[in-house]
Amino acid sequence: MLYIGNHTTSSKGYAQMARQMIANGGNTFAFFTRNPRGGKAKAIDRKDVENYRALAEEHHFGKIVAHAPYTMNACAAKEDLRVFARETMADDLMRMEMIPGNYYNFHPGSHVGQGTSEGILKIAEILNAVLTEEQTTTVLLETMAGKGSEVGKTFEELRDIMNLVEKKHKLGVCFDTCHVWDGGYDIVNDLDGVLGTFDSIIGLSNLKAVHLNDSLNGLGSHKDRHAKIGEGMIGMEALVNVIRHPALEGIPFILETPNDDEGWTKEIAALRKAYEEMKP
Ligand code: FE
Ligand code: FE
Ligand code: ZN
């Protein structure tokens, strides 16, 4: 089963997001838990959650992937910013229990001159403070492009964070194809090699979701500029190989391409067609 959808821009509740995704041909989606720049989360509406659950069941949705605000920096140098990151993550995880058993993905952070190892320690400290044994949400660290002082641009950095976290079983990785490519992993010419490297360092069982994006820039460019599927340097063929890869079977693929719903509908249809064509 191919679970594919886009990061939805609609924000009027879970049921509306699911309806938009069904209209786009999707069966999973991503969404911001609150304004991407931070700020207050929406009030929880139980009726909306019930409606969402019914739609997700009827349309065989896979797990959905909540995205933390991208301004959240768990390894900021300033303490008040780390407190904001910790409180935001704790609050988001509590609210995620309204839709149990899904994913919550976040950018590990930018060390802003403190150095990667200090960044790794600070990120792990926040994860140790917010993860609970009771939570049913798996928290995903996103692979980063390595723009500026981003932590998580190599599989080793993600592993080092995970190794410092007590409740490792609550963690996983979200593999962003644009970021990994920009980070210097050649998924175009050697997808098997990249996934093999991921397996030996982090373990493929920890790869829980994919952000499926093309990239405007070349291998190792550390730029993080997403392109539409087939309109960047990664290209359609390599991205189809990603969704077809047996090691990634059954996980959610989320488009974060610069599109509107019409564009995402076309991308989802094209990718579904390519996925189906592989079947014997
Ligand atoms: Fe992201
Ligand atoms: Fe991403
Ligand atoms: Zn990105």
Side-chain angles (χ1 to χ4, degrees), residues 93 96-97 99-104 134-139 170:
L93 288 176
M96 287 292 290
E97 291 304 314
I99 47 160
N102 286 298
Y103 295 135
Y104 176 75
E134 297 72 38
Q135 72 180 61
T136 62
T137 304
T138 302
V139 175
K170 301 293 181 185

Side-chain angles (χ1 to χ4, degrees), residues 172-215:
V173 170
C174 176
F175 185 102
D176 186 309
T177 55
C178 168
H179 298 177
V180 164
W181 166 259
D182 280 22
Y185 294 98
D186 191 355
I187 56 170
V188 173
N189 297 300
D190 190 18
L191 178 62
D192 281 333
V194 172
L195 292 177
T197 303
F198 186 100
D199 193 35
S200 65
I201 296 169
I202 301 179
L204 277 172
S205 62
N206 291 306
L207 203 170
K208 303 291 192 190
V210 168
H211 284 168
L212 196 74
N213 302 309
D214 213 323
S215 173

